[in-house]
Amino acid sequence: MKLFRLSLLSLVILFASCKATDSTVKMVEEKPQAPKNVILLIADGTGLAQISSAFYYKDSKPNYSRFNHIGLIQTSSSREDVTDSAAGATAFASGIKTYNGAIGVADDSTEVKTIVELISPKNIKTGVISTSSVVHATPACFYAHALSRQLVGEIAEDMVNSDLDFVAGGGTRFFYKRRDGKDLLKALRDKNFAVDTTNLSSFDDIKSNEKMAYILHEYDLPKMSEGRGDFLPNATELGIQFLNKDASNPNFFLMVEGSQVDWGGHQNDTDYLVSELIDFDNALGKALDFAEKDGNTLVIVTADHETGGFTLASTPKETEDGREYSDYSEITGMFSTGGHSASLIPVFAYGPGAEEFNGVYQNNDIFHKIMKVTGWK
């Protein structure tokens, strides 16, 4: 009997040991994977109604529908309930709330480190893409420091002196034929940038370059309705290829802005807004396609604020006898303002760490969540 009890005790201990080992292995296996790359896509001025328009007006299934992790951000700046793009992008790029118009500076006007400045010393490559000029508020906040977004001359100089590896957008006027006589295109080349002021090229044409800058129009890029074509999705794909090209140093951060959704909202122009939103959705598809194949890339999609108080309303019509009614079988884009609104903004995330972006939080938490899940801080 005593021998039986000892044998039974041994079996219990062995079983418990196996369970503990299994649990330990399971804990190791379930440790969250840290993304090696981050693509942050910002559709300027885009709220839920703007996103919804793609589901009604795009000829194919929107790429927005490919996400499972969705959150909401509150976008107010440090002093105002309604933010502008400068304060909104500074929150994303540096993790702090600041006043409207501020580029990479805190509410007390002191400079704050941007994500580009923080991760470049870690040999992580960085890039910005925009359908506005590259010195416009949103892209500027990722590499520049200025007390006002209007100081575009200084912002252009900051870009030259930044650690960026890839740039694509408009704004040649801010780099040469300047009032101060400085040729910043030459300065970019002196900083090892290959510079193209004509068109996007193929990856094969630029893959041997150390850095690449496409600055393609005098000011902003044309509207989609004016023939911009596939610049944004093509630049997104090209930027990803370029930043990811070195096998020994493939990790990167890329910010992509669809600038002109915002401008369609300011003009209360539904056609303008929707065409720009669909173009942005196509660029988003390029980022997701890469992330799905790569497996190590976190894609985050959001906006700095909503513009226009846009809504998809039932179309107002009249009966033959003059009575007004709402036709629920047809929608029309309508606006409540020519400015920005304080609406909560959706955040979509895909890839390693995406679950961190669920819930409701402040816009500057985007920065902190990126730094947390990547371990870059």
Side-chain angles (χ1 to χ4, degrees):
M1 180 63 72
K2 185 176 181 181
L3 180 63
F4 174 76
R5 288 177 179 173
L6 286 172
S7 299
L8 183 61
L9 179 61
S10 297
L11 285 172
V12 170
I13 293 171
L14 178 62
F15 178 73
S17 176
C18 289
K19 291 292 285 183
T21 302
D22 289 345
S23 299
T24 303
V25 171
K26 189 174 181 181
M27 286 173 65
V28 171
E29 290 175 348
E30 290 181 353
K31 183 179 180 180
Q33 177 186 350
K36 296 180 179 179
N37 315 308
V38 175
I39 306 173
L40 173 62
L41 297 104
I42 301 170
D44 199 309
T46 296
L48 185 57
Q50 284 86 344
I51 294 167
S52 300
S53 70
F55 288 79
Y56 290 96
Y57 295 115
K58 192 175 183 182
D59 292 333
S60 58
K61 189 175 182 180
N63 288 296
Y64 274 105
S65 65
R66 296 165 65 178
F67 292 92
N68 292 322
H69 295 284
I70 303 170
L72 291 168
I73 50 171
Q74 185 175 349
T75 62
S76 57
S77 64
S78 61
R79 304 180 189 179
E80 299 91 358
D81 290 334
V82 180
T83 192
D84 80 330
S85 294
T90 296
F92 296 151
S94 297
I96 57 100
K97 293 270 192 180
T98 191
Y99 60 88
N100 285 352
I103 301 289
V105 298
D107 186 77
D108 63 1
S109 300
T110 56
E111 292 186 4
V112 289
K113 290 283 188 180
T114 71
I115 189 170
V116 170
E117 293 169 322
L118 289 168
I119 68 177
S120 292
K122 302 176 185 291
N123 294 318
I124 298 168
K125 295 183 179 178
T126 58
V128 295
I129 298 170
S130 181
T131 55
S132 65
S133 75
V134 295
V135 298
H136 209 265
T138 299
C141 290
F142 287 84
Y143 63 78
H145 305 279
L147 297 181
S148 170
R149 60 187 290 176
Q150 305 301 325
L151 299 173
V152 289
E154 295 178 16
I155 291 168
E157 292 190 66
D158 279 356
M159 200 194 89
V160 172
N161 295 317
S162 74
D163 293 318
L164 289 170
D165 298 286
F166 184 90
V167 178
T172 57
R173 180 65 181 81
F174 306 108
F175 291 85
Y176 78 113
K177 295 183 180 178
R178 292 163 49 107
R179 291 180 180 178
D180 59 12
K182 294 179 180 179
D183 184 349
L184 296 187
L185 294 180
K186 179 183 182 301
L188 280 171
R189 293 185 178 99
D190 291 341
K191 292 281 189 176
N192 298 321
F193 275 92
V195 180
D196 194 324
T197 59
T198 55
N199 291 291
L200 292 176
S201 49
S202 70
F203 174 62
D204 286 340
D205 291 335
I206 67 170
K207 63 183 179 182
S208 62
N209 296 335
E210 182 178 340
K211 294 172 179 281
M212 190 69 221
Y214 293 99
I215 305 176
L216 303 183
H217 289 264
E218 187 175 12
Y219 292 102
D220 305 305
L221 274 73
K223 301 177 183 179
M224 285 300 294
S225 61
E226 295 173 344
R228 188 173 75 237
D230 293 330
F231 166 83
L232 191 60
N234 289 346
T236 300
E237 184 174 34
L238 188 59
I240 291 169
Q241 290 175 310
F242 187 82
L243 296 174
N244 190 238
K245 66 187 175 73
D246 297 330
S248 61
N249 184 26
N251 301 344
F252 67 88
F253 169 83
L254 176 63
M255 190 288 295
V256 179
E257 184 199 22
S259 318
Q260 298 189 38
V261 183
D262 174 64
W263 303 350
H266 279 298
Q267 295 180 25
N268 286 184
D269 186 331
T270 299
D271 291 341
Y272 186 9
L273 183 157
V274 172
S275 64
E276 296 293 333
L277 189 281
I278 290 174
D279 177 57
F280 177 82
D281 187 74
N282 291 334
L284 166 55
K286 297 292 187 181
L288 286 174
D289 289 347
F290 173 80
E292 287 178 354
K293 293 177 183 177
D294 177 67
N296 292 311
T297 299
L298 171 63
V299 177
I300 307 158
V301 186
T302 190
D304 44 6
H305 54 75
E306 192 278 339
T307 303
F310 184 64
T311 187
L312 296 172
S314 56
T315 302
K317 293 185 177 179
E318 288 188 1
T319 62
E320 292 182 359
D321 59 1
R323 288 185 297 108
E324 293 185 357
Y325 73 99
S326 296
D327 185 348
Y328 278 21
S329 64
E330 183 180 314
I331 58 172
T332 298
M334 295 185 178
F335 300 87
S336 63
T337 178
H340 301 169
S341 73
S343 300
L344 296 185
I345 295 297
V347 181
F348 300 80
Y350 173 88
E355 63 281 353
E356 182 70 25
F357 295 84
N358 296 338
V360 183
Y361 42 93
Q362 295 291 330
N363 57 355
N364 57 313
D365 285 331
I366 294 279
F367 169 88
H368 298 294
K369 290 175 183 293
I370 290 173
M371 301 306 271
K372 175 183 176 181
V373 300
T374 57
W376 286 347
K377 191 167 185 179

